[in-house]
mmCIF file of all heavy atoms in Angstrom:
data_model
loop_
_atom_site.group_PDB
_atom_site.id
_atom_site.type_symbol
_atom_site.label_atom_id
_atom_site.label_comp_id
_atom_site.label_asym_id
_atom_site.label_seq_id
_atom_site.Cartn_x
_atom_site.Cartn_y
_atom_site.Cartn_z
ATOM 1 N N ASP A 51 5.555 0.843 -7.649
ATOM 2 C CA ASP A 51 4.324 0.077 -7.804
ATOM 3 C C ASP A 51 3.483 0.071 -6.535
ATOM 4 O O ASP A 51 2.253 -0.019 -6.604
ATOM 5 C CB ASP A 51 4.646 -1.356 -8.229
ATOM 6 C CG ASP A 51 4.915 -1.472 -9.723
ATOM 7 O OD1 ASP A 51 4.870 -0.436 -10.421
ATOM 8 O OD2 ASP A 51 5.191 -2.585 -10.200
ATOM 9 N N VAL A 54 1.145 2.775 -6.800
ATOM 10 C CA VAL A 54 0.056 2.465 -7.728
ATOM 11 C C VAL A 54 -1.060 1.746 -6.975
ATOM 12 O O VAL A 54 -2.246 2.073 -7.111
ATOM 13 C CB VAL A 54 0.561 1.599 -8.903
ATOM 14 C CG1 VAL A 54 -0.609 1.113 -9.759
ATOM 15 C CG2 VAL A 54 1.550 2.391 -9.763
ATOM 16 N N LEU A 55 -0.668 0.784 -6.143
ATOM 17 C CA LEU A 55 -1.638 0.008 -5.380
ATOM 18 C C LEU A 55 -2.410 0.905 -4.408
ATOM 19 O O LEU A 55 -3.649 0.911 -4.398
ATOM 20 C CB LEU A 55 -0.916 -1.107 -4.631
ATOM 21 C CG LEU A 55 -1.759 -2.206 -3.957
ATOM 22 C CD1 LEU A 55 -0.916 -3.467 -3.760
ATOM 23 C CD2 LEU A 55 -2.350 -1.763 -2.624
ATOM 24 N N CYS A 113 -5.909 -2.070 -10.437
ATOM 25 C CA CYS A 113 -4.514 -2.518 -10.478
ATOM 26 C C CYS A 113 -4.262 -3.568 -11.554
ATOM 27 O O CYS A 113 -3.111 -3.799 -11.943
ATOM 28 C CB CYS A 113 -4.112 -3.089 -9.119
ATOM 29 S SG CYS A 113 -3.986 -1.869 -7.801
ATOM 30 N N SER A 114 -5.324 -4.213 -12.020
ATOM 31 C CA SER A 114 -5.174 -5.258 -13.029
ATOM 32 C C SER A 114 -4.542 -4.689 -14.291
ATOM 33 O O SER A 114 -4.978 -3.671 -14.818
ATOM 34 C CB SER A 114 -6.532 -5.867 -13.354
ATOM 35 O OG SER A 114 -6.414 -6.872 -14.332
ATOM 36 N N GLY A 115 -3.498 -5.340 -14.758
ATOM 37 C CA GLY A 115 -2.800 -4.868 -15.942
ATOM 38 C C GLY A 115 -1.738 -3.821 -15.651
ATOM 39 O O GLY A 115 -0.946 -3.481 -16.527
ATOM 40 N N ARG A 116 -1.706 -3.333 -14.423
ATOM 41 C CA ARG A 116 -0.723 -2.314 -14.052
ATOM 42 C C ARG A 116 0.330 -2.853 -13.081
ATOM 43 O O ARG A 116 1.431 -2.322 -13.009
ATOM 44 C CB ARG A 116 -1.423 -1.107 -13.418
ATOM 45 C CG ARG A 116 -2.466 -0.451 -14.318
ATOM 46 C CD ARG A 116 -3.096 0.734 -13.633
ATOM 47 N NE ARG A 116 -2.138 1.790 -13.384
ATOM 48 C CZ ARG A 116 -2.336 2.803 -12.547
ATOM 49 N NH1 ARG A 116 -3.463 2.872 -11.858
ATOM 50 N NH2 ARG A 116 -1.418 3.731 -12.385
ATOM 51 N N LEU A 117 -0.037 -3.887 -12.331
ATOM 52 C CA LEU A 117 0.883 -4.479 -11.369
ATOM 53 C C LEU A 117 1.240 -5.899 -11.782
ATOM 54 O O LEU A 117 0.485 -6.574 -12.486
ATOM 55 C CB LEU A 117 0.258 -4.488 -9.969
ATOM 56 C CG LEU A 117 -0.031 -3.134 -9.332
ATOM 57 C CD1 LEU A 117 -0.609 -3.329 -7.935
ATOM 58 C CD2 LEU A 117 1.202 -2.255 -9.285
ATOM 59 N N GLN A 118 2.393 -6.355 -11.281
ATOM 60 C CA GLN A 118 2.841 -7.716 -11.555
ATOM 61 C C GLN A 118 2.034 -8.713 -10.713
ATOM 62 O O GLN A 118 1.440 -8.352 -9.691
ATOM 63 C CB GLN A 118 4.332 -7.839 -11.230
ATOM 64 C CG GLN A 118 5.224 -6.933 -12.059
ATOM 65 C CD GLN A 118 5.139 -7.260 -13.537
ATOM 66 O OE1 GLN A 118 5.184 -8.433 -13.931
ATOM 67 N NE2 GLN A 118 5.016 -6.240 -14.367
ATOM 68 N N PRO A 119 2.011 -9.981 -11.113
ATOM 69 C CA PRO A 119 1.244 -10.983 -10.374
ATOM 70 C C PRO A 119 1.598 -11.061 -8.888
ATOM 71 O O PRO A 119 0.716 -11.268 -8.045
ATOM 72 C CB PRO A 119 1.582 -12.296 -11.100
ATOM 73 C CG PRO A 119 1.867 -11.864 -12.510
ATOM 74 C CD PRO A 119 2.570 -10.543 -12.370
ATOM 75 N N ASP A 120 2.886 -10.912 -8.544
ATOM 76 C CA ASP A 120 3.262 -11.013 -7.135
ATOM 77 C C ASP A 120 2.699 -9.865 -6.309
ATOM 78 O O ASP A 120 2.546 -9.980 -5.079
ATOM 79 C CB ASP A 120 4.789 -11.102 -6.970
ATOM 80 C CG ASP A 120 5.523 -9.864 -7.465
ATOM 81 O OD1 ASP A 120 4.913 -9.023 -8.157
ATOM 82 O OD2 ASP A 120 6.726 -9.734 -7.169
ATOM 83 N N ALA A 121 2.349 -8.752 -6.965
ATOM 84 C CA ALA A 121 1.715 -7.631 -6.272
ATOM 85 C C ALA A 121 0.201 -7.778 -6.249
ATOM 86 O O ALA A 121 -0.452 -7.455 -5.248
ATOM 87 C CB ALA A 121 2.107 -6.314 -6.938
ATOM 88 N N LEU A 122 -0.360 -8.265 -7.337
ATOM 89 C CA LEU A 122 -1.818 -8.397 -7.418
ATOM 90 C C LEU A 122 -2.370 -9.326 -6.343
ATOM 91 O O LEU A 122 -3.459 -9.084 -5.813
ATOM 92 C CB LEU A 122 -2.224 -8.895 -8.804
ATOM 93 C CG LEU A 122 -2.070 -7.879 -9.941
ATOM 94 C CD1 LEU A 122 -2.333 -8.545 -11.292
ATOM 95 C CD2 LEU A 122 -3.004 -6.690 -9.749
ATOM 96 N N VAL A 123 -1.619 -10.365 -6.006
ATOM 97 C CA VAL A 123 -2.113 -11.296 -4.985
ATOM 98 C C VAL A 123 -2.082 -10.680 -3.589
ATOM 99 O O VAL A 123 -2.676 -11.231 -2.651
ATOM 100 C CB VAL A 123 -1.302 -12.611 -4.987
ATOM 101 C CG1 VAL A 123 -1.421 -13.313 -6.318
ATOM 102 C CG2 VAL A 123 0.158 -12.365 -4.623
ATOM 103 N N LEU A 124 -1.438 -9.530 -3.438
ATOM 104 C CA LEU A 124 -1.327 -8.885 -2.131
ATOM 105 C C LEU A 124 -2.260 -7.686 -1.976
ATOM 106 O O LEU A 124 -2.236 -7.029 -0.926
ATOM 107 C CB LEU A 124 0.118 -8.419 -1.896
ATOM 108 C CG LEU A 124 1.187 -9.503 -1.789
ATOM 109 C CD1 LEU A 124 2.564 -8.859 -1.607
ATOM 110 C CD2 LEU A 124 0.892 -10.446 -0.631
ATOM 111 N N VAL A 125 -3.074 -7.388 -2.988
ATOM 112 C CA VAL A 125 -3.916 -6.187 -2.929
ATOM 113 C C VAL A 125 -4.792 -6.179 -1.685
ATOM 114 O O VAL A 125 -4.828 -5.190 -0.934
ATOM 115 C CB VAL A 125 -4.777 -6.070 -4.207
ATOM 116 C CG1 VAL A 125 -5.870 -5.014 -4.009
ATOM 117 C CG2 VAL A 125 -3.905 -5.690 -5.406
ATOM 118 N N HIS A 146 11.049 -8.576 -5.479
ATOM 119 C CA HIS A 146 9.598 -8.417 -5.475
ATOM 120 C C HIS A 146 9.251 -7.130 -6.204
ATOM 121 O O HIS A 146 9.941 -6.115 -6.046
ATOM 122 C CB HIS A 146 9.057 -8.360 -4.048
ATOM 123 C CG HIS A 146 7.583 -8.623 -3.952
ATOM 124 N ND1 HIS A 146 6.637 -7.688 -4.321
ATOM 125 C CD2 HIS A 146 6.898 -9.724 -3.548
ATOM 126 C CE1 HIS A 146 5.432 -8.199 -4.142
ATOM 127 N NE2 HIS A 146 5.555 -9.432 -3.669
ATOM 128 N N SER A 147 8.189 -7.152 -6.994
ATOM 129 C CA SER A 147 7.854 -5.979 -7.816
ATOM 130 C C SER A 147 7.431 -4.773 -6.980
ATOM 131 O O SER A 147 7.464 -3.644 -7.473
ATOM 132 C CB SER A 147 6.745 -6.324 -8.814
ATOM 133 O OG SER A 147 5.507 -6.562 -8.149
ATOM 134 N N LEU A 148 7.030 -4.977 -5.728
ATOM 135 C CA LEU A 148 6.667 -3.857 -4.865
ATOM 136 C C LEU A 148 7.882 -3.259 -4.153
ATOM 137 O O LEU A 148 7.755 -2.258 -3.445
ATOM 138 C CB LEU A 148 5.636 -4.294 -3.820
ATOM 139 C CG LEU A 148 4.257 -4.673 -4.357
ATOM 140 C CD1 LEU A 148 3.334 -5.082 -3.208
ATOM 141 C CD2 LEU A 148 3.634 -3.527 -5.146
#
Side-chain angles (χ1 to χ4, degrees):
D51 279 1
V54 172
L55 191 158
C113 291
S114 180
R116 302 181 64 196
L117 296 182
Q118 299 298 315
D120 63 347
L122 288 173
V123 299
L124 295 178
V125 167
H146 198 285
S147 68
L148 293 180

